[in-house]
Amino acid sequence: MAIKEYDVFVIGTGTAGKNVAYDCAAEGMKVAIADNREFGGTCAQRGCDPKKVLVGITEAMQLSENLKGKGIVSVPKIDWAALQKFKSTFTDAVPAATERDLKKAGIELYHQSPKFLDENTLSVEGKTVKAKKIVIATGNKSMELKIPGSEHLRISDDFFELQELPESIVFVGAGYIGMEFAHIAVRCGAKVTIVEFGDRPLSPFEADIVKHLTEASEKIGIEFIFNAKVSKVEKLRKNYRVSFQKNGASASLSNQSVTARMVFNTAGRVPSIDELDLEKGNVAFQKEGISVNEFLQNTTNKNVYACGDVSASGSLPLTPTSSQEARIVSLNIRKGNHTKLNFPPVPSVVFTIPQLASIGMTEEEAKKKGYDFVVEYKSVPKWFNAKRTNEEVYAYKTIVDKKRNIVLGAHIISSEAGEMINLFVLIMCGKLTCGNIKQMIFAYPTWGNDIKGMV
Ligand SMILES: Cc1cc2nc3c(=O)[nH]c(=O)nc-3n(C[C@H](O)[C@H](O)[C@H](O)COP(=O)(O)OP(=O)(O)OC[C@H]3O[C@@H](n4cnc5c(N)ncnc54)[C@H](O)[C@@H]3O)c2cc1C
């Protein structure tokens, strides 16, 4: 059989892979793309978008709860099955629409994981294909927990497929996915426990601000078990038993357990690279993913580029960073290596209620890096925006460079923190001073206007 040849072969049809494929095809290159799952990637089908649909309904409920007795008579109830059906109106059409659009752009499709045969050759669907450039954009997948009974653990993909919400759920891991799902599940009526290895949730985020979220989560009924290493999962008649070892507890107390109808592994995500036979392609990789240089080109095979969650570029594994990396890869493939990875400050949001949003340095990072800075940390539930929606939690921490009077980091917890942090993107990327911000006029009464009081 004749060997098919392409200018560019992309592996993965998520935000990163799709964007590279479109750009290269638009330039007149012969492009193919492969995926071993439904086309369209994580964000649109099993990540950001369906999650935000579920969160949106709980936000409507929470606002009513806040204003009950203040004009709201009764709090609406959530119909889980109807909510999942609504969510499916966003996700179900994604694979067919993605395939249709890729084909329309002249891109050839493969529905299997390719395997490297050598530096420029892949085996896919029983065929041998050659490409001048190969782009790895296979994203992340749930990290396997190597413990007895791990087969009983469900992952984030399964959460979106639940036709019925279980009475009780244990989440193993209090990262952003565990925290967001816990908030959805508890507000929809499940009893929720989170078992976490560390001594607090969301370890990369600003500790003082996370403290407010931990308290708010406990208040709505989420039970945290911190400093606990899960050791085993067993199937009982109706429930699962999750055993864990508590750090620092006496021997008799160190082995404990919690039971629930369902257990989710939300302990983290790792690069999806096992099926690619990277060694045969001379493609270097590391724990964080495909090893890349500043052009997002593989460090050992110069014909290979990597972008999105799977690249070990050091950027946060998020949708906007994945599309930014895709832009860099496609430019470097089309125009030669001229565009370097140079990320501006990247905001990141935990879509709990209230939301926790963050950009730039935490106080600890600023200290470690030796900056001379001023910190402002305040709890402000008395500010008008929180008062009118009767929210108990509203706090912020800003870190400002003393000499230059510019923002080094901003961390907010509020129902609108996700929108507010975008203003800090403009402030930090535009290198505006706090004086500049104070002089600006923002619409009132808006949450955005509050940022003037934060710097
Ligand atoms: C539950 C959840 C919530 C999230 N929420 C947010 C959020 O609110 N905001 C945000 O910015 N980010 C969020 N993310 C992260 C975001 O989804 C990812 O950063 C983004 O989707 C990465 O895009 P990507 O193109 O790199 O990878 P993906 O979108 O994961 O695409 C990779 C594709 O490669 C395919 N693939 C994998 N292995 C192979 C193989 N061997 N062969 C062929 N194909 C393969 C996969 O099937 C997939 O289609 C969330 C993620 C999850 C799981």
Side-chain angles (χ1 to χ4, degrees), residues 218-322:
E218 283 169 337
K219 234 175 175 171
I220 57 167
I222 296 171
E223 189 192 341
F224 289 101
I225 302 172
F226 293 123
N227 301 308
K229 189 175 180 200
V230 170
S231 52
K232 157 168 88 168
V233 183
E234 295 159 279
K235 187 163 171 32
L236 309 176
R237 210 164 56 83
K238 279 188 174 169
N239 285 315
Y240 293 93
R241 178 164 48 220
V242 181
S243 300
F244 53 87
Q245 282 159 357
K246 284 278 272 175
N247 297 342
S250 66
S252 59
L253 284 176
S254 68
N255 286 311
Q256 300 173 27
S257 65
V258 57
T259 58
R261 287 281 200 272
M262 226 173 245
V263 188
F264 283 87
N265 168 10
T266 49
R269 291 173 63 79
V270 292
S272 190
I273 50 177
D274 318 336
E275 293 182 52
L276 300 171
D277 271 357
L278 294 171
E279 290 86 353
K280 286 195 186 152
N282 185 30
V283 179
F285 59 94
Q286 58 201 73
K287 193 165 65 69
E288 296 81 10
I290 304 292
S291 309
V292 288
N293 62 19
E294 57 203 351
F295 301 107
L296 296 176
Q297 185 180 37
N298 184 233
T299 49
T300 45
N301 180 344
K302 299 298 175 204
N303 306 316
V304 166
Y305 289 80
C307 51
D309 286 0
V310 78
S311 79
S313 65
S315 66
L316 290 173
L318 295 170
T319 294
T321 50
S322 298

Side-chain angles (χ1 to χ4, degrees), residues 12 15-16 35-36 41-42 48 51 113 138 176 272 308-309 317-320 322:
T15 307
D35 206 300
N36 59 358
T42 304
C48 340
K51 173 194 76 191
S113 173
T138 47
Y176 81 92
S272 190
D309 286 0
L318 295 170
T319 294
S322 298

Side-chain angles (χ1 to χ4, degrees), residues 10-18 34-52 110-114 136-142 156-157 160 176-177 180-181 269 272-276 307-311 316-323 325 347 349-351:
V10 181
I11 314 175
T13 62
T15 307
K18 237 173 16 186
D35 206 300
N36 59 358
R37 292 187 66 171
E38 308 80 9
F39 273 43
T42 304
C43 178
Q45 302 181 89
R46 306 175 289 275
C48 340
D49 294 358
K51 173 194 76 191
K52 200 74 198 294
Y110 291 88
H111 295 85
Q112 200 184 53
S113 173
I136 304 177
T138 47
N140 280 347
K141 58 178 184 173
S142 289
S156 59
D157 297 7
F160 295 117
Y176 81 92
I177 295 176
E180 290 173 341
F181 282 6
R269 291 173 63 79
S272 190
I273 50 177
D274 318 336
E275 293 182 52
L276 300 171
C307 51
D309 286 0
V310 78
S311 79
L316 290 173
L318 295 170
T319 294
T321 50
S322 298
S323 49
E325 289 195 5
V349 180
V350 184
F351 289 101

Side-chain angles (χ1 to χ4, degrees), residues 174-177 179 196 200-206 210 213 350 356:
Y176 81 92
I177 295 176
M179 289 295 285
E196 161 62 40
R200 67 168 174 106
L202 302 167
S203 56
F205 288 83
E206 176 61 54
V210 170
L213 183 59
V350 184
L356 192 154

Side-chain angles (χ1 to χ4, degrees), residues 396-418:
Y396 68 89
K397 183 183 265 193
T398 47
I399 293 134
V400 172
D401 184 282
K402 233 184 206 167
K403 220 185 261 151
R404 293 176 294 161
N405 203 23
I406 58 166
V407 177
L408 299 173
H411 312 275
I412 308 172
I413 181 162
S414 88
S415 62
E416 295 292 333

